[in-house]
Amino acid sequence: MQCSVAAASVPGRLSGAARLPTTWGKTSTTPPTPALGGASMDEQKESLQKIVTTLALKNEEIQNFICCLKQSLQNLEANSTRVQEDLESEFSSLHAVLDELKEGMVTRIKQERASRTYELQNQLSACTKALESSEELLELANQTLCSNETDGFTQAAKDIKDSVTMAPAFRLSLKAKASDSMSHLMVDFTQERQMLQAIKFLPVPATPEIQVSECQVCDNSVTVVWTLPEPDSKIDHFDLEYRRTNHEGPPRAREDYPWMVMEGVKETEYTLTGLRFDTRYMTFRVKACNKAVAGEFSEPVTLETHAFVFKLDAGSSHQNLKVEDLSVEWDSSGGKVPVQDIRKDKNRTSSPMHSPARTAMMSPKRAPSARVGRDRFTAESYTVLADTMIDAGQQYWEVRFDKESKTFAAGIALRSLGRFDQLGKTSASWCVHLNNWLQQSLTAKHNNKARTLDCPIPDRIGIYCNYDEGTLSFYNARTKTLMHTFRTKFQQPVIPAFMVWNGSFSVQTGLQVPSIVQCGQKRNSNTSSSNASLT
């Protein structure tokens, strides 16, 4: 249950019977208590009823606020328990790391002590044996010197001399093979101790700021760049949110489009690609997140994403074309109801709600006709127009078509195009035309003149119209290779136009003029070209 008042709006305590406050809180919107004296019974009852209503509303507000306080206490208890458990878990992990590190270091000391003990004990044992042998030899030599017997003295002296020469004592190294110093295994935890003492709760990350001057909008992609007030090594990632809007400026409380979220952005910029700019603007905001908490969202920034958006006008199309928003399919039945379906309908209750005309009129996919007061295309003009005119600026759209279509054409036309007129056969239309009869060919047509295009037939065509400069160009939409350019002077608004027979196509709108197309148009604006307009 949401609270409807703040704590400051709660009046003084009510005890016993309902007692009227003499002064209302600053946030209260209730009027002062009406006076009862000097009025009729009905007026007094009416005033008392207002008082009762006021008290009931205030009591309900207080009850709601009490519920909020109780819920806050429960949340506080749960959140405190959770963060305490997380803290204990982190310290346990830290203790585990220290214990593991300590165990490894103690093992290293034990191994070093064992190795040196082995070396020194072996050397001690060898020296002890050599000393014992040397003492025995020394005693024998002294006894020989003290002897007065001349017989055998020479031999005894010689034997002692030989024994001394071979004695182990003269082959010993009197330098210890291992040092008794263990200072190389000492540690200094001063720096680590300072780091541990510096451990504290993670701060809430600072709010980023989107740098509008560095953001870029081109080729139906948006690059958003932001900075932080100061470096923060604790930040783990950023969350970027955006939504479409037709309003410039900060987001409004009630928007038709939801926020879209891009989580886990590691850098301070992000590029959204493959967008369809079906609104005039896009609003962006970003927040920084560390391991524990997210900061506040940045101030929203609105970037203009203007592009040419239209739908196909089903009200203008030929009866044999099945039109649905941005796609068209050839329908050989021409919208006629088969005889068997008519027989089935005879058993139904005759009602205008079930008539084909009524159903067509009520279809939500039918846009208002751009050809007001005119009949739809007929005869061999299998044409459909867009529902949006071009009267200024540069526009771009693409059309994907079935290359097996018997006939297909795409381009622009004046609104005055006749209902029997075919695209490219009058002065009111310009197009590229696919002929798939005896031999497949692609031509540029205007005013019943055609020029064969010496280029591969793509499955998707990009159409660029610069109304102010009188330029209409056709591109291979995949490679952005120029196929043909018409140069003229538009005397009145034009409108995207399409024609198909025994085939299908779909249109992609909401596209900006590609950068490579704009660059190519600038290079060719002052030069002649083999793709000159037909005259």
Side-chain angles (χ1 to χ4, degrees), residues 32 107 127 183 244 283 304 320 337 339 366 383 429 453 467 476:
T107 301
C127 288
S183 59
R244 296 174 171 84
T283 301
E304 186 174 8
N320 285 99
V337 181
V339 176
R366 286 192 178 272
T383 305
S429 60
L453 302 182
Y467 184 88
N476 182 321

Side-chain angles (χ1 to χ4, degrees), residues 153 216 397 412 481:
F153 178 82
Q216 294 184 353
W397 64 98
I412 60 174
T481 303

Side-chain angles (χ1 to χ4, degrees), residues 228-242:
L228 288 168
E230 57 185 21
D232 186 352
S233 60
K234 299 294 184 181
I235 289 179
D236 179 70
H237 65 274
F238 298 90
D239 287 345
L240 175 68
E241 293 189 357
Y242 67 95

Side-chain angles (χ1 to χ4, degrees), residues 38 72 76 94 99 122 167 212 224 230 266 294 297 309 312 347 349 364 400 405 413 443 459 471 489 515 521 526:
S72 296
L76 178 62
L94 186 59
D99 289 340
N122 284 343
V212 180
V224 186
E230 57 185 21
K266 296 297 184 179
F297 274 110
V309 180
L312 297 176
N347 298 326
T349 303
R400 183 193 299 271
S405 301
T443 57
D459 60 351
T471 301
K489 185 175 182 180
S515 301
Q521 290 293 327
N526 297 321

Side-chain angles (χ1 to χ4, degrees), residues 214-251:
E214 298 184 26
C215 298
Q216 294 184 353
V217 180
C218 64
D219 294 325
N220 283 82
S221 34
V222 180
T223 299
V224 186
V225 181
W226 59 89
T227 58
L228 288 168
E230 57 185 21
D232 186 352
S233 60
K234 299 294 184 181
I235 289 179
D236 179 70
H237 65 274
F238 298 90
D239 287 345
L240 175 68
E241 293 189 357
Y242 67 95
R243 69 176 172 187
R244 296 174 171 84
T245 178
N246 285 310
H247 306 289
E248 187 178 10

Side-chain angles (χ1 to χ4, degrees), residues 359-370:
T359 304
M361 185 174 60
M362 295 177 63
S363 171
K365 295 178 180 178
R366 286 192 178 272
S369 174

